[in-house]
Amino acid sequence: MVATLLSLKLHLTVADLKRSTTRLVLWIIMAASILILLFFALIGLALSSLAVAGHEANAGSITIFVGSVLVFGWALIPLVFFGFDQTLDPARFAQFSLTGRQLAPGLVLAGVLGLPGLLTAVLCLGSSLCWLMTPLVALVGLVGGALGFLMTQVCCRVTTTALSGTLSTRKARDMTGLIGLVLILVLSMSGYAISMAVNLFMAAPANLADAWSVVEKISAVLSFTPLGAPWAMVSDAGQGQWLMLLAHLVLTCAYLGLGLWLYSAILNKALVAPAQLRSTGSTGALTKNLVARLTNIRWVKGALVPVAAIVARCLRYWRRDPRYLGQIVSILMLPIIFTVIGLGLQLISPDDATDQIMQYMTQAMIAFGLGFMALMAGYAISADVAYDSTAWWIHLATGVKGWQDRLGRLIAQATVSTPLVLIAAFAVPLIIQDPGVIAKALASMAALFLVSLGVSSVFSALIIYPTALPGESPLKMRSGMMGSQMLSQFGCMGITVVLALPICIWAFFATGWLSWLALVVAIIWGGALAVAGVVLGGRIMDARGPAILATLMKNDSRERA
């Protein structure tokens, strides 16, 4: 059964690659990149063996800690990227008279037939290269690495199958997409965090000693858990603790046996009653109620009724669509990331002269983060029409004017983003203990936000770039997306910066009441440009209505095909 499942997995993978030349080329490029990465990683592991002698305990602690993170990462993958590889989905075997015990070993080993699994397997086995100078320990490292790889696959399969029913709901998939986006944004700072940590430890070696003692304590605890037990074997062998090695071997085998038994039990349940997609229910009533409330406002009459309807629909999108929610997460993360980076620069200041320079760099970094957030908050409207996809035909069929479309989307965007901009403008100065710059931050962010809204209202009628279709993950990339999206971003951001830069410079150097005056001017100037963007963007949309619908249909049909 194991050989049959492995052969089936291989044939399905090859057949899937043959379906698309683009996918095959991308797979080859990715495989080549992984091979290069593996080559340098294995060389580094082999060279590290020269420094292990005399530091066996330290090397063992690092192995346990890193290996535990690897196993935990594989267990976490289903929570973030559920459905990342369902080539051998257990639900597909429900029609056959098979048991979980028959399928479990083959499905676990099938994880190696893929780029992530192959990379993990080679790195797990390659960890033994750290002990090349002691062949017996290196042999133990091979065994421990193999058991560690099996542990990653068992944990991954258990969580994937156990949570398949829960994560098959629409809300759960939306939440996992947002979690994945947050993790990507956080991981984007990992290189900076590592460099800051290295600089901090070099400036104060005592901090490194304290941090290392914490790592050793954590590793000692992890060595008795399913995460670290396989990796503790090579540490025991390196230090000559053979009885402890035997204990960790027995513990690892017990954990693997328990995991396979649990996976078999979950598979038996999945084969009898496969998980079904559950609907989240109709939300049409909520939208109708919101439209009714907006259109029943006394002054909302005549030409403003379509505007109110568009506002209601867009507000629902911002509340429920993961593509919109992902933009909120990205906007909120920008000031956090740049504030952390700015404050981190103050940690590396060996002398007074450098400290002064770092303070200026910190201020510039935090100011850039706030301004970038305001700019992106306004630019988010550029994808609104693309997110509607082919449903935008309703605008043409009902005769919605271009300025009505532009104004409705702008009001909805401002309703969602204005509180975020205000919170950041007040919170960041208070966090850095400099409340005197709140007026400066408000003026600069108001200018960038309002101008960006107006410019984006024009560009979103000119450039319709492919986006993730309704119901898809916000992380999905579409063919042809990068080029047109970059053109829209650079054009919109460049024009916004040029139009808002004078007020930003004024606000940066203003003091006292002049800062508040800059805020007033920013609101007037930005508001005027936002209105101009609605008018101009509306005229462009009226002229390009059929062309916009044709582009949306082309983007949708290309993906469906």
Side-chain angles (χ1 to χ4, degrees):
M1 179 58 66
V2 173
T4 301
L5 290 175
L6 291 177
S7 176
L8 178 61
K9 166 73 173 181
L10 182 61
H11 281 83
L12 289 175
T13 302
V14 173
D16 187 55
L17 291 175
K18 288 182 178 180
R19 289 173 55 190
S20 172
T21 304
T22 303
R23 183 177 300 180
L24 178 60
V25 172
L26 290 176
W27 188 90
I28 293 174
I29 294 175
M30 188 178 298
S33 303
I34 289 177
L35 287 176
I36 295 173
L37 175 64
L38 281 176
F39 174 77
F40 287 106
L42 295 178
I43 292 295
L45 290 171
L47 292 176
S48 66
S49 64
L50 301 176
V52 168
H55 302 86
E56 288 82 2
N58 295 338
S61 297
I62 294 175
T63 302
I64 295 173
F65 188 82
V66 175
S68 299
V69 171
L70 182 64
V71 176
F72 180 75
W74 270 93
L76 187 66
I77 283 176
L79 301 178
V80 182
F81 300 107
F82 180 73
F84 70 102
D85 183 11
Q86 291 296 308
T87 307
L88 296 183
D89 186 355
R92 299 183 179 183
F93 297 95
Q95 57 185 321
F96 302 104
S97 57
L98 297 173
T99 63
R101 179 179 296 181
Q102 292 175 299
L103 291 174
L107 293 178
V108 169
L109 292 177
V112 75
L113 297 179
L115 291 181
L118 181 61
L119 174 63
T120 304
V122 175
L123 288 178
C124 289
L125 296 176
S127 63
S128 62
L129 294 176
C130 296
W131 309 86
L132 276 179
M133 297 302 162
T134 49
L136 182 58
V137 178
L139 181 61
V140 174
L142 280 174
V143 176
L147 294 176
F149 172 74
L150 290 178
M151 190 69 73
T152 62
Q153 301 306 303
V154 169
C155 290
C156 177
R157 292 294 173 178
V158 169
T159 53
T160 300
T161 310
L163 297 175
S164 59
T166 302
L167 295 180
S168 61
T169 63
R170 173 68 177 270
K171 289 184 177 180
R173 293 199 305 271
D174 294 348
M175 185 58 63
T176 56
L178 294 178
I179 294 173
L181 179 60
V182 173
L183 287 178
I184 290 174
L185 292 173
V186 172
L187 290 175
S188 66
M189 296 181 61
S190 58
Y192 172 79
I194 293 173
S195 64
M196 287 291 102
V198 171
N199 289 323
L200 180 61
F201 291 148
M202 291 179 64
N207 294 333
L208 179 59
D210 294 338
W212 182 249
S213 64
V214 173
V215 172
E216 289 182 330
K217 293 177 182 178
I218 294 175
S219 298
V221 175
L222 291 174
S223 65
F224 292 96
T225 67
L227 302 178
W231 315 102
M233 295 168 54
V234 69
S235 176
D236 298 333
Q239 300 175 68
Q241 301 176 353
W242 302 106
L243 289 178
M244 188 62 70
L245 184 153
L246 181 61
H248 281 126
L249 176 61
V250 173
L251 196 59
T252 300
C253 294
Y255 283 138
L256 284 174
L258 180 63
L260 286 173
W261 173 82
L262 180 61
Y263 183 39
S264 300
I266 296 173
L267 274 178
N268 284 329
K269 184 177 179 180
L271 291 171
V272 173
Q276 301 292 331
L277 294 178
R278 295 194 294 269
S279 173
T280 57
S282 174
T283 59
L286 295 176
T287 305
K288 292 179 181 178
N289 290 336
L290 186 56
V291 172
R293 291 179 183 178
L294 291 177
T295 54
N296 287 334
I297 298 176
R298 183 174 302 174
W299 50 267
V300 176
K301 297 179 181 179
L304 291 180
V305 173
V307 176
I310 293 173
V311 171
R313 188 193 66 199
C314 291
L315 288 178
R316 175 177 174 265
Y317 288 168
W318 281 105
R319 190 178 70 252
R320 300 187 60 85
D321 195 324
R323 300 172 299 173
Y324 286 81
L325 295 174
Q327 294 184 69
I328 295 178
V329 173
S330 302
I331 291 170
L332 286 175
M333 289 294 292
L334 285 174
I336 297 174
I337 290 174
F338 284 99
T339 300
V340 171
I341 292 176
L343 295 177
L345 292 174
Q346 294 182 347
L347 298 176
I348 47 174
S349 52
D351 51 53
D352 294 338
T354 306
D355 184 60
Q356 189 67 27
I357 296 175
M358 289 301 174
Q359 288 183 2
Y360 290 136
M361 292 182 63
T362 297
Q363 296 174 1
M365 190 65 66
I366 294 175
F368 178 79
L370 290 175
F372 194 29
M373 172 198 179
L375 194 155
M376 292 303 297
Y379 175 74
I381 199 176
S382 67
D384 255 17
V385 176
Y387 283 159
D388 283 354
S389 190
T390 52
W392 192 79
W393 72 270
I394 299 175
H395 285 234
L396 289 180
T398 55
V400 174
K401 300 296 184 182
W403 70 268
Q404 295 171 331
D405 177 279
R406 303 289 81 197
L407 182 59
R409 297 178 190 274
L410 186 145
I411 293 174
Q413 174 72 20
T415 302
V416 174
S417 298
T418 300
L420 304 180
V421 172
L422 291 175
I423 290 172
F426 280 95
V428 173
L430 294 176
I431 290 174
I432 64 176
Q433 299 180 354
D434 192 3
V437 301
I438 290 179
K440 300 173 181 286
L442 284 172
S444 301
M445 296 180 74
L448 288 167
F449 176 54
L450 293 174
V451 173
S452 181
L453 281 175
V455 176
S456 298
S457 296
V458 176
F459 268 79
S460 59
L462 282 173
I463 302 176
I464 309 296
Y465 53 84
T467 61
L469 295 175
E472 292 182 339
S473 169
L475 302 177
K476 183 172 182 178
M477 298 296 294
R478 299 281 306 281
S479 59
M481 180 176 179
M482 292 302 296
S484 53
Q485 186 177 18
M486 289 179 62
L487 178 62
S488 175
Q489 284 181 346
F490 283 122
C492 182
M493 292 181 184
I495 295 176
T496 299
V497 170
V498 170
L499 294 176
L501 188 59
I503 295 179
C504 294
I505 295 175
W506 177 11
F508 187 80
F509 290 102
T511 57
W513 63 273
L514 290 176
S515 300
W516 296 104
L517 179 60
L519 173 59
V520 175
V521 174
I523 294 175
I524 296 174
W525 174 246
L529 290 178
V531 173
V534 169
V535 175
L536 180 58
R539 292 179 179 176
I540 294 173
M541 180 162 282
D542 288 335
R544 299 190 66 247
I548 291 174
L549 181 59
T551 302
L552 293 172
M553 294 179 64
K554 179 181 178 182
N555 292 338
D556 183 271
S557 62
R558 180 188 306 168
E559 181 68 14
R560 300 300 184 190

